[in-house]
Amino acid sequence: MNPDYGWGTKDEDDRTVRFSVDRRDVEATGSIQKARDPQYDPATGTVKPVGSLGPWQAAIIFITNEVGIGILSLPAALNVLGLIPGIISIIGMGTLSLYTAYILVQFYRRYPHVVNIVDYGRIIGGKPLEVIFAIGFIINLSLISASAVITMSIGINTISEHAACTVIWIGIACLACYLLCLPRTMMFVSHCGWPCTVSIVAAVIIPMAALGVSGPANAPPGSSIAIKLVGNPTFSEAVSSFLNIGFAFTGNQAFVTVLVEMRDPARDFTKAILIEKPFAIAIYTTVAIACYCLAGEYITSPAIGAAPVTTAKISYGIIFISLLGTGLVFGHTSIKYLFVVVMRHLSFFERRSSPLRKRSRGVRGGNRKPSVEADMMRRRQSQPHDSRSVVSWIAWIAIATAFWILVFVIANAIPVFNSLLNISSSILLAWFTWGFPVVFWFHLNWKKMFSTWKKTVLVVLNVFILAIVVFMNTAGMYASVDGLLTIFADPDGEVNGPFTCADNSIF
């Protein structure tokens, strides 16, 4: 093969990796340089601008992505597990999520033509694994978006004192998130991240202050606060609480979509996660300890419910901004992935029918099957960075509409906050946050796993992470479904099935 038909980058071991370029692409573009440029747009014949996000903008998106509704369940998790096991779980899961996030950029350095985590699956398992990743990715982000919508319905019911059917409030929340997802740029998401971050911090500080002044609202007069250093939960309770902690750190699956929008992702992504992950661990630990120590066994999930009525209403009013940001980030990520898939197919048909492509089929080597790298690079070339055609806007709006209709259905089918968090954590979040990155690591290091003592230690660490994921996936699913069925079967409970108008407010 002519050496000019390749391009390279540096992986984590500072070795040059070559990527072959199909000769047909060179003939079609008229330039070797264009054919091997991952930013080349074959539809317009121009080189697309590089991403616009720096490390701080990306870090803000990551914070909006991760520091959200999960924080509201952490104090109750400490009440179940106990103060010491709960703190260890929060710090431990956060540290492991930082490690697995770093694996994502290691993989990107080896394969810089990827544009989302589904492309990672295609590299390690071909088309079949890509389809599995795609289905899981969409369902996963839909469940997270549904949990944000349910939390908004809880807040609206709390503030309005259940002025309308809960299904209506869920529909309004979905509509608001849908409208926010219509702008297509990631920079818009970054700008929205600042008020969302301030919102979640303020929304938990206010009830913390109220608990410190007046104590938990649901505690009997004259009662004392009991703090458990080590809890004594049942198996289902312990697993459910552990899943709630895991849910708080499950933003990694959306990080790749942001990574490819950065100006220098191979270098700046590490900076961004080193800003976001320690911030998330610190605020999670602080809020969980403070709320639990101030409310004790009277803490609720979401934690705002333990505060006095007026304070809780104020907090829910403030946290709406953050919840809308959660819906925006995860909804935008899902829509962007589906949009790229649709536009790739449209670009494929356009290129197949172009006269230049037809003339290139007769050249020597024109019938050669393209390499995996060449195939993936053409897929990146068809990523619609800033297309403003009518077709692209119709596709974006149609996909956004379908996605939020799906979220509306899920939110009404599983209308319980904790159960939705646990089910999403156990089915998919554990794999996308910890499990699949470990698989990516083994793919990158398969031939050198035991080459040094450091690699051997990492092998042991990754096997340990996989064991945690399998536990969350099996025992976690059992505990989640068992808890949900118990709630539905409770004769004294108002939430007794899907699509219910029952009041889900915290009072």
Side-chain angles (χ1 to χ4, degrees), residues 21 118 159 185 209 367 441 478:
V21 178
V118 178
I159 294 173
T185 64
N367 293 322
W441 186 89
Y478 166 79

Side-chain angles (χ1 to χ4, degrees), residues 238-404:
V239 172
S240 295
S241 297
F242 183 72
L243 290 176
N244 283 343
I245 293 174
F247 180 89
F249 291 103
T250 50
N252 289 11
Q253 74 272 12
F255 284 7
V256 180
T257 303
V258 181
L259 181 152
V260 298
E261 299 281 352
M262 299 179 70
R263 286 191 294 268
D264 190 355
R267 182 187 65 182
D268 291 344
F269 180 81
T270 304
K271 297 178 183 178
I273 60 174
L274 287 176
I275 295 170
E276 185 271 329
K277 291 294 183 181
F279 174 82
I281 294 172
I283 192 171
Y284 284 166
T285 306
T286 302
V287 170
I289 293 174
C291 289
Y292 176 55
C293 290
L294 292 172
E297 69 270 32
Y298 302 106
I299 194 66
T300 62
S301 181
I304 295 176
V309 176
T310 302
T311 303
K313 290 183 177 182
I314 294 173
S315 296
Y316 266 119
I318 295 174
I319 205 174
F320 280 149
I321 301 174
S322 177
L323 294 173
L324 288 171
T326 300
L328 166 62
V329 169
F330 287 101
H332 192 280
T333 302
S334 304
I335 297 164
K336 179 64 177 290
Y337 165 70
L338 294 171
F339 177 66
V340 169
V341 170
V342 170
M343 298 305 291
R344 276 173 174 169
H345 282 81
L346 291 177
S347 175
F348 171 78
F349 287 123
E350 289 175 0
R351 295 179 68 193
R352 292 279 293 183
S353 61
S354 67
L356 190 57
R357 165 66 79 179
K358 292 178 180 178
R359 288 198 301 270
S360 70
R361 291 175 181 171
V363 302
R364 180 182 177 184
N367 293 322
R368 177 173 57 86
K369 182 179 180 180
S371 66
V372 173
E373 289 83 3
D375 171 61
M376 291 297 299
M377 189 164 60
R378 283 200 299 273
R379 290 159 60 83
R380 182 180 175 93
Q381 288 171 349
S382 59
Q383 181 190 9
H385 282 267
D386 53 1
S387 175
R388 295 178 175 84
S389 67
V390 175
V391 173
S392 67
W393 271 109
I394 292 175
W396 182 273
I397 294 173
I399 293 168
T401 303
F403 175 79
W404 283 106

Side-chain angles (χ1 to χ4, degrees), residues 32 58 72 78 83 190 206 259 270 313 371 413 418 426 438 471:
I32 295 175
L72 302 177
L78 263 61
L83 189 63
S190 177
I206 292 174
L259 181 152
T270 304
K313 290 183 177 182
S371 66
N418 269 353
S426 60
V438 167
F471 173 79

Side-chain angles (χ1 to χ4, degrees), residues 3 53 66 112 116-117 143 168 170 204 214 217 239 277 326 358 373 437 443 454 462 464 474 478 487 491-492 506:
L53 300 176
E66 194 156 88
N116 49 56
I117 200 168
L143 288 170
I168 295 176
I170 291 177
V204 294
S214 58
V239 172
K277 291 294 183 181
T326 300
K358 292 178 180 178
E373 289 83 3
H443 175 83
K454 293 181 180 179
N462 284 291
F464 171 71
T474 54
Y478 166 79
I487 293 173
D492 298 325
I506 58 179

Side-chain angles (χ1 to χ4, degrees), residues 106-231:
Q106 287 182 309
F107 201 90
Y108 174 84
R109 289 168 183 165
R110 179 74 65 87
Y111 303 101
H113 40 271
V114 296
V115 297
N116 49 56
I117 200 168
V118 178
D119 282 350
Y120 284 33
R122 184 182 180 90
I123 288 175
I124 64 175
K127 184 68 174 179
L129 192 58
E130 180 192 17
V131 173
I132 294 174
F133 265 55
I135 295 173
F137 186 60
I138 296 301
I139 295 175
N140 192 19
L141 298 187
S142 300
L143 288 170
I144 299 174
S145 300
S147 63
V149 168
I150 289 177
T151 309
M152 280 188 270
S153 73
I154 295 172
I156 298 174
N157 269 327
T158 300
I159 294 173
S160 68
E161 298 181 357
H162 193 46
C165 175
T166 300
V167 175
I168 295 176
W169 297 138
I170 291 177
I172 292 175
C174 288
L175 177 61
C177 292
Y178 163 75
L179 294 175
L180 281 175
C181 287
L182 292 183
R184 288 163 45 184
T185 64
M186 193 61 72
M187 187 58 72
F188 171 77
V189 181
S190 177
H191 291 328
C192 292
W194 290 101
C196 292
T197 303
V198 174
S199 166
I200 190 65
V201 173
V204 294
I205 288 178
I206 292 174
M208 283 168 53
L211 289 172
V213 173
S214 58
N218 54 342
S223 60
S224 59
I225 302 300
I227 305 298
K228 295 177 287 187
L229 294 181
V230 179

Side-chain angles (χ1 to χ4, degrees), residues 415-439:
V416 182
F417 177 74
N418 269 353
S419 296
L420 188 55
L421 262 59
N422 293 341
I423 291 174
S424 59
S425 295
S426 60
I427 295 179
L428 295 166
L429 285 175
W431 281 105
F432 277 99
T433 303
W434 295 284
F436 290 143
V438 167
V439 176

